[in-house]
Each structure stands twice: as C-alpha cells, then as structure tokens.
Amino acid sequence: MIFVSAFRYILGLEGAALVIVASLFTGLYQTIQPWYTHRFDLFVNEESGFVLGHSSSLTVLATAWLSRLFSGGGKRRVGDMEAIYFPRALEWLREPMLLMAATFLVVYIIMAALNIGFVTEAATKAGKHPIIWVLLQALNFAAGFAILIMGVRMIIAELIPSFKGIAERIVPGAIPALDCPLFFPYGQVSMAYGGLIGMLTMVLVSLIFAGARYPFFIFAPTMSVWFHGATAGVYGNKYWGIPGAILGGVVAGVLMGVGQALMWPVLGFAIGDFFSWASDTDYVLWPLLIALVGRILGR
C-alpha cells in the first residue's frame, strides 16, 4: 500500500506502470531488507537459521549499529536487561507478561479517561463494570502475547527445518526472513522494556511537535511503536546490555515520531490514516527516497 501510494502520488504513475513498478520495488525491498540486517540478526538469535523480515528493520539497524559501536562490538556490555535486579517487592517487573499487562492497563486507563462514553458503552454491552472491562482488556493483551510467544517457539522448532529443502535445492544457502516476534524469546525482559520505552518516547516526541505548533498531529500508534521498540530492545541488549535495551526503545520512538512528521507533508493528504496506526520506519524512509527521486525528476 505505502509503495503504491508513493509511486502514484509522488511520481504520478498510473495503471499497469504503477502496478509493475510498485510490485518490482516491493519485491526488491523484501529481498534486500533481510540482507542488510542479517549480520546483526544472526548475532542476536545465535545463528538460529533465520533473519529478520519486518518493516522495523531501520530501527533495528540503527539500534544494533549504535549499540555495537558504543560497546566495542559487544565486548563492553553494561549489565544485562535479562538479569536486571529488582527489590523483592518489585520482582514481578522481571516477568514480561505481567509488565506488559501493567503497562497496557495504564495505557487503557488513560485512553478510557479520554473517552469515557465509549468505554461505558463497551463495558455495558459486555456486562462488565467499566473498570473491570479495562482491566480485562490489558490482561487479554498480555495473555494473547503469551500465546504468541509460545507459537513463536513452535515456528522456530518446525519452520526452520522445513526450509532446509529450499536452501539445499532451490536457492542454495538461503535462510528464511521472519517476523519480528520470532526474536522476542532471545530477550523477553528487553522486549518488554524496549516496547514500553518506545511508546513513552514517541508520546514525548508527539508532545514536542505539538508544543512547537507543527501543523500535523503526530500520533503514536501503540502496537507499531511497541513492536519496533521491543525488537530494537532485544538487539540493543545483546550488544550493549541495559543501555542498549533502553537505546532501542528511544531510537524506535524518535525515528517513528520524526518519520511520521516528515511523511505527513509528502503523503498525508493521500494516506494520512495509515500513519495513525503503522508509521513503521521502513515505510517512512523508502517513500521519502522516492519523493527525493521525484523532486530530482521534477515531479
């Protein structure tokens, strides 16, 4: 969708030309993207036989490169987010699912306070008290994510061996590029805190743009920024430890917030609603490069 819109509204392509060019570009992106992150991917997943295939690759690339730089190639790690110490009363903060439930409970409470009418109506339809309904939404998210992590482990155990035939007969040496949740088991605490820090950072970026009277509202898409921050947090922790995990969340929030701000003047008139829920970093950089090409060509 994003590439089709970029070629249509920026370069003015239509019809068959639009379909052909956008399809070729999408295929090229899907092929090149796993290549430029694969070195970091295989380090993080300990040569598990797959790499990242996700639109958060630029966030991951920036986080891994910076963390690797500051840590001397991973030789000067500062602690480990997976082994971070908490007082006895706060030990539950090391449990990713409980942390996620608490995090999204706070998010949902804030959202509920801003839209009491909707929450009351939804809770009434569900036969629940509004407070209980909000609590259940947070717990449902955490439970769903726990199921996702279990599914990820099953995929790793079964999909990778099944890909062996392709790697041996069709494309020698090929390895699959898979979605970002497959990297979460390699740093579940880093994942949780990276996602949380990513959300907080993008909210801060949004407030900064609002305070600067930027003509477009920078919306923090909860799920997109959480997945970006969570993935980057895992990479950052592997290279630099605790500072790297924090850096991953910050990089995700900053790149997504600034990227969304840059994209609104370019494609906001056409697919502005898209940025409200999926301002992924890869969906920002490449259209901006297409816009640069369009400007060079006088479009």
Side-chain angles (χ1 to χ4, degrees), residues 191-203:
M191 165 202 76
Y193 281 95
L196 172 61
I197 293 170
M199 287 196 298
L200 294 176
T201 301
M202 190 164 183
V203 169

Side-chain angles (χ1 to χ4, degrees), residues 55-176:
S55 51
S56 63
S57 67
L58 292 175
T59 299
V60 164
L61 191 64
T63 300
W65 187 83
L66 289 172
S67 297
R68 188 173 183 272
L69 175 67
F70 294 140
S71 67
K75 298 176 182 178
R76 296 192 300 271
R77 295 184 75 221
V78 181
D80 184 353
M81 187 63 85
E82 302 306 306
I84 191 171
Y85 170 77
F86 286 103
R88 186 177 181 83
L90 297 176
E91 281 187 349
W92 63 273
L93 289 174
R94 294 193 70 256
E95 172 51 51
M97 302 311 157
L98 291 178
L99 176 62
M100 288 175 59
T103 299
F104 279 89
L105 177 60
V106 173
V107 172
Y108 289 148
I109 288 175
I110 295 173
M111 294 298 103
L114 296 175
N115 199 347
I116 296 177
F118 170 80
V119 172
T120 302
E121 181 181 352
T124 301
K125 289 182 179 179
K128 307 288 184 184
H129 188 280
I131 295 177
I132 300 299
W133 183 84
V134 171
L135 175 61
L136 289 175
Q137 298 309 304
L139 293 176
N140 284 340
F141 181 88
F145 209 86
I147 295 172
L148 173 65
I149 293 297
M150 292 176 61
V152 162
R153 293 194 177 101
M154 293 175 61
I155 290 176
I156 293 174
E158 298 185 15
L159 179 62
I160 307 304
S162 68
F163 196 81
K164 189 175 181 181
I166 297 176
E168 289 180 349
R169 300 178 183 178
I170 301 177
V171 184
I175 55 177

Side-chain angles (χ1 to χ4, degrees), residues 267-285:
L267 282 175
F269 68 94
I271 52 172
D273 59 329
F274 179 81
F275 303 133
S276 298
W277 61 269
S279 52
D280 296 24
T281 48
D282 289 15
Y283 295 157
V284 169
L285 176 67

